[in-house]
Amino acid sequence: MSTTPKTPAVVAFVGSGPGDPSLLTVRAADLLKRADVVVLDQVAREEFVAPFVGEGTEIVDAGHGETGQALTTASRAKLLVRTVKAAAKATDGALVVRLMDGDPATFNGLAEEATALHKAGIAFEIVPGVSAASAVPTYAGIPLTHNGSRAVHVISSSDNKVDYAASSADDTTVVLFGTDETLRTSLVRLRDAGRSEQTSVAVTTSGTTIHQKTHTFALEGAEAGLKAAGFTGSAVAVVGAPVAYRETLSWWETKPLFGWNVLVPRTKDQAGSMTSRLGDFGASSDVVPTISVEPPRTPQQMDRAIKGLVTGRYEWIGFTSQNAVKAVREKFEEFGLDARAFAGLKIAAVGGVTADALLAWGLRPDLVPEGEQSARGLLEAWPDYDDLLDPINRVFLPRADIATDTLVAGLQEIGWEVDDVTAYRTVRAAPPAPEVREAIKSGKFDAVCFTSSSTVRNLVGIAGKPHATTVVACIGPATAKTAEEHGLRVDVMAPEPSAEALVDALADFGRSLALSAAETGEEVRRPSQRRSTSRRKAKA
């Protein structure tokens, strides 16, 4: 009796890049998505791979042993072989991704681990990563070469056998990887080997991330310079003339929101575009859900409305949020319907975000207000009922249980009959963790972005008011009014009601703070660095 042979496991050595997850290569992201097992290194940890891997992916730590100490190269190679053999027994054709910090081929033990796989008869491939040797200096505004450059030497400062005399020429740029201790030793050895004491040095920690910090000093003051940098862990140092370019080419650490920690009171599935855009401006973000979207307590009203939509009861359907789109779509799926059921029905959307949700469903709205994107703006754009042009006089409005009566009353005034249906309920979320509440009240957040009046009310209700120094940004006039009613001073208001416009407006505010500091000769300080004990007062 013949049996089908098992497909052997395969290993992919994948470079994680220098730190910023967005610098992961397309091939690397694809392999992580398909991986059965991911073997981690010392820098790119669980939180790094979480957005890329599936729920069932097994994570194995090859960066540290049980005692927390870093594993040796030989130990990592043995662990990798054992992991692959175990995966092969568990899964036919298992894919094991060996995620290596930076680029696999640079100071990562690739040669030893790949050789171990070869000896064990295990197939592998190698996916290069963006190397920290070039990426970190680039993010610090330091090109490794210029017209006067002749060579670039990349050195691991933990290697005691390096001949630093070979890197002593002024036209050689030296890139060093290491810790505070090993970098200090290497810089002193480079100086003692004849490198000019006036040579510029830049040391960058947490390179390419929003926590990046760069310190510059002359080689003669290496000891004092590293002490002033005051970092722990690993860093990248650049020695040479190109360091002088940092003064004019620094682009990452001068982002308008660089280093800011922004509070985003939204549900996690709705915060993606906002947190991504905040990251583009150099900010980190903490998402704190303030509401939970749940189905209506009694679904019968919604069921009747969906059936009425199919049977031609309505001339218009008006969507006032992306949650409403989601609620109707879920009902359609429950009843086995699709977008074709909207044939002959006119569709209105309150704004761009809601329109995008409809487009994702394959529906193009007939009406989106060009001016104010709110219930009031939608009402102003809505045509009056005309008994000669409109065969049906009824509108279906699937909305939240706490929606205001502005739109319903307005539509009735211009001749429409309205079925105002509760499509979903907004329930106040559970309070965040104690440390998050303390951070909100004590001013550890630089800014908070409110995207609706309910996010204002619920955040204050579950966590308290933001500190007086926290910049308050609101998506529109109604949200700003609610914030002021709760004793908050509104610093930023988006020119249009979208998450992207709100973040852009906050970035403009950050630029204005930087310009003001430059004009007065002061150091640029984030709002959280100007904390005081006073509470935020509303504008008089």
Side-chain angles (χ1 to χ4, degrees):
M1 181 178 179
S2 63
T3 58
T4 304
K6 290 192 67 174
T7 305
V10 65
V11 175
F13 288 97
V14 170
S16 67
D20 180 358
S22 67
L23 295 180
L24 199 68
T25 65
V26 174
R27 176 63 175 163
D30 177 62
L31 287 168
L32 284 171
K33 183 179 180 180
R34 295 190 285 115
D36 298 292
V37 182
V38 175
V39 182
L40 300 179
D41 218 329
Q42 297 182 49
V43 178
R45 307 296 294 169
E46 289 87 345
E47 62 276 8
F48 181 94
V49 301
F52 301 100
V53 299
E55 292 183 3
T57 304
E58 180 185 355
I59 304 297
V60 176
D61 185 3
H64 305 88
E66 295 180 359
T67 61
Q69 295 293 320
L71 293 178
T72 64
T73 300
S75 297
R76 290 200 298 270
K78 291 178 181 178
L79 174 61
L80 179 59
V81 172
R82 290 198 305 270
T83 300
V84 177
K85 289 182 177 179
K89 291 180 181 179
T91 306
D92 187 37
L95 171 61
V96 178
V97 169
R98 172 66 173 101
L99 190 66
M100 299 184 117
D101 298 331
D103 177 61
T106 308
F107 301 128
N108 269 323
L110 171 67
E112 292 80 3
E113 293 187 33
T115 299
L117 292 180
H118 175 72
K119 289 180 178 178
I122 300 170
F124 60 86
E125 67 171 279
I126 302 171
V127 180
V130 177
S131 175
S134 58
V136 172
T138 300
Y139 267 60
I142 303 170
L144 294 183
T145 61
H146 63 123
N147 288 338
S149 301
R150 294 294 178 270
V152 176
H153 292 178
V154 181
I155 300 171
S156 172
S157 63
S158 62
D159 187 350
N160 296 323
K161 298 180 181 179
V162 174
D163 178 12
Y164 284 94
S167 304
S168 61
D170 289 341
D171 58 4
T172 298
T173 301
V174 180
V175 180
L176 294 164
F177 291 92
T179 63
D180 172 51
E181 182 179 347
T182 60
L183 286 176
R184 181 181 289 105
T185 300
S186 292
L187 291 174
V188 170
R189 289 182 62 190
L190 182 61
R191 186 178 63 198
D192 293 345
R195 190 72 188 243
S196 170
E197 293 186 343
Q198 302 308 311
T199 305
S200 297
V201 180
V203 176
T204 302
T205 58
S206 302
T208 74
T209 74
I210 54 180
H211 306 294
Q212 175 177 304
K213 289 184 180 180
T214 302
H215 301 267
T216 58
F217 47 86
L219 185 59
E220 64 177 341
E223 297 92 337
L226 287 171
K227 184 177 181 180
F231 69 92
T232 58
S234 60
V236 176
V238 180
V239 183
V243 173
Y245 284 94
R246 172 171 164 76
E247 187 173 341
T248 53
L249 300 187
S250 178
W251 62 275
W252 178 236
E253 292 171 60
T254 55
K255 291 268 189 177
L257 300 178
F258 183 80
W260 284 42
N261 189 15
V262 181
L263 179 65
V264 180
R266 294 191 99 182
T267 57
K268 287 189 176 182
D269 59 342
Q270 293 179 334
S273 62
M274 180 174 287
T275 56
S276 176
R277 201 165 189 85
L278 284 167
D280 290 341
F281 288 115
S284 62
S285 54
D286 280 3
V287 178
V288 177
T290 58
I291 62 171
S292 174
V293 177
E294 299 182 5
R297 296 187 187 279
T298 55
Q300 289 81 4
Q301 186 186 26
M302 186 68 169
D303 292 348
R304 287 195 298 269
I306 295 298
K307 291 175 182 177
L309 183 152
V310 175
T311 57
R313 175 178 171 83
Y314 303 109
E315 180 74 10
W316 282 89
I317 181 172
F319 292 99
T320 57
S321 72
Q322 61 189 111
N323 284 327
V325 177
K326 181 181 178 183
V328 172
R329 188 168 185 174
E330 288 176 349
K331 276 294 178 183
F332 265 50
E333 292 173 355
E334 180 184 330
F335 291 150
L337 302 171
D338 57 34
R340 290 174 294 181
F342 285 94
L345 187 67
K346 296 175 184 176
I347 303 172
V350 73
V353 175
T354 305
D356 288 342
L358 287 166
L359 288 170
W361 193 7
L363 299 171
R364 186 176 299 278
D366 302 282
L367 175 65
V368 181
E370 295 182 358
E372 180 182 341
Q373 296 186 348
S374 65
R376 189 178 303 278
L378 182 58
L379 180 60
E380 291 177 355
W382 205 296
D384 293 2
Y385 170 68
D386 189 322
D387 57 2
L388 296 178
L389 299 177
D390 299 309
I392 305 170
N393 71 339
R394 191 168 293 275
V395 176
F396 173 25
L397 288 184
R399 304 197 299 161
D401 57 332
I402 59 171
T404 64
D405 294 331
T406 302
L407 183 57
V408 174
L411 288 174
Q412 291 171 339
E413 287 180 4
I414 58 175
W416 294 99
E417 296 290 333
V418 181
D419 283 357
D420 184 17
V421 179
T422 298
Y424 61 94
R425 292 183 298 126
T426 54
V427 181
R428 180 178 291 182
E435 58 269 22
V436 176
R437 297 200 299 271
E438 178 60 25
I440 293 171
K441 291 185 283 189
S442 63
K444 292 182 180 178
F445 286 103
D446 296 288
V448 56
C449 290
F450 289 117
T451 55
S452 67
S453 293
S454 62
T455 59
V456 177
R457 289 190 293 266
N458 290 340
L459 180 71
V460 173
I462 66 176
K465 293 181 183 179
H467 190 271
T469 56
T470 303
V471 174
V472 173
C474 294
I475 202 167
T479 304
K481 180 180 178 182
T482 302
E484 290 174 345
E485 290 173 349
H486 283 76
L488 302 177
R489 186 187 67 233
V490 177
D491 302 290
V492 178
M493 189 164 69
E496 59 182 71
S498 72
E500 290 77 10
L502 177 57
V503 175
D504 290 350
L506 181 62
D508 287 339
F509 184 83
R511 290 189 190 95
S512 68
L513 292 181
L515 288 173
S516 298
E519 289 173 356
T520 58
E522 297 178 354
E523 179 186 358
V524 179
R525 301 173 66 197
R526 301 192 309 274
S528 62
Q529 294 173 320
R530 300 195 298 266
R531 276 181 278 173
S532 66
T533 56
S534 62
R535 287 287 175 182
R536 181 177 296 274
K537 300 292 185 181
K539 288 182 180 179

